[in-house]
Amino acid sequence: PYVDTKVILENADKHGYGVPALNINNLEFLHYIIEAGIKMNSPVIIETSQGAMKYAGNGDFRKGAEIFVKMVRTFADEANIPVALHLDHGKSFEYIVAAIKAGYSSVMIDASEHPFEENMKITKEIVKIAHAAGVSVEAELGQLAGIEDEAVAAENVLVDPEEAKIFVEETDVDFLAPAVGTSHGAFKFKGAAKIDYDRIKKVKEYVKRPLVLHGASSVVPEFVEIAEKHGADFGGAKGVPAEILKEAVKCGINKVNTDTDLRIAFVAGLREFLNGNPKEFDPRKYFKLAREYTIKVITDRMEVLGSAGKA
Ligand SMILES: O=C(COP(=O)(O)O)NO
Ligand SMILES: [Ca+2]
Ligand code: NA
Ligand SMILES: [Zn+2]
């Protein structure tokens, strides 16, 4: 069924597991995520960035939002796993309102590049509007470095747990994304992979609601190697190892945002297949390996996060 993201995340919070929040831009990735969820009997959170809304609507983001809601609901209504649709990194009021109007389960207001008071004020406004429409809200505190779709944050600014306490009390936001050392994309961490577990625990103690880890892709070496064997150049790619994700879930993370891992698995399969099948040009066939690898990276993640078997 199609559910509110809050339903999925409150259950994850209660039972101490993580749920993958998986970014899509098109029908294929949605297919693969639903297949993986059904195979593993796992709840799934589908999420789209503002750029994905624009892309799906061929420039018209309101149309894109409607297309995504209709596609996701069609799968969700007949799947026996909970499925939610979330707007990831909502920064513009128009996009957030469009997602709410179209029927998204939840929206993120990402005002994290603003000063604390400003972030709190903006988030409070969005919570009021979203809650009036029965939609749950995610906000971000602190800054992740790396590319955030349309904005590039320079440095990591880790969340201040005391600020998180005030922020959640003031805004009544449903889930919080604390910056704890990860960053978006395939090139995370300057040195060894590490995130600030104590900071996650402190925030959890204060806010007592589901937490979100952004920049959580593992950048799985197996798929990086396949992609590079077939012409990709991902030199220096590094992600969050599974062990660190497991510990982060133990510390209180419940929504685990994963975009890069799906992209790398897909493009590895696509490159391998096209290199090995020069005569193939049927789009129902040449995504075969891309589909296989993307489903694999998702089912593995559901095992690591503990959402497998929890639908
Ligand atoms: O945070 C993410 C995805 O992060 P990755 O680039 O690590 O997949 N989406 O909001
Ligand atoms: Ca941000
Ligand atoms: Na999000
Ligand atoms: Zn993110």
Side-chain angles (χ1 to χ4, degrees), residues 9-30:
L9 291 181
E10 287 188 336
N11 195 53
D13 195 2
K14 192 164 153 224
H15 300 289
Y17 60 88
V19 178
L22 302 152
N23 289 74
I24 65 168
N25 295 292
N26 61 27
L27 172 65
E28 278 69 21
F29 281 65
L30 173 56

Side-chain angles (χ1 to χ4, degrees), residues 47 86 88-89 108 138 214 255 257:
E47 58 183 17
H86 173 76
D88 189 26
H89 289 293
M108 176 182 189
E138 173 188 333
H214 281 252
K255 174 172 178 277
N257 285 19

Side-chain angles (χ1 to χ4, degrees), residues 89 91 108 110-113 140 142-144 148 153 184:
H89 289 293
K91 299 205 169 172
M108 176 182 189
D110 178 359
S112 65
E113 67 266 27
E140 183 176 312
Q143 294 237 340
L144 280 80
E148 281 194 13
H184 290 112

Side-chain angles (χ1 to χ4, degrees), residues 193-195 197 200 213 216 218 239-251 300-301 303-305:
K194 75 179 185 58
I195 64 175
Y197 298 129
I200 300 174
L213 186 65
S218 296
V240 186
E243 289 324 303
I244 293 188
L245 291 178
K246 286 184 184 202
E247 188 58 33
V249 168
K250 277 201 202 111
C251 295
D300 286 351
R301 184 148 280 238
E303 296 272 20
V304 165
L305 300 180

Side-chain angles (χ1 to χ4, degrees), residues 149-161:
D149 210 44
E150 280 147 8
V152 179
E155 279 304 305
N156 254 318
V157 177
L158 300 184
V159 66
D160 170 347

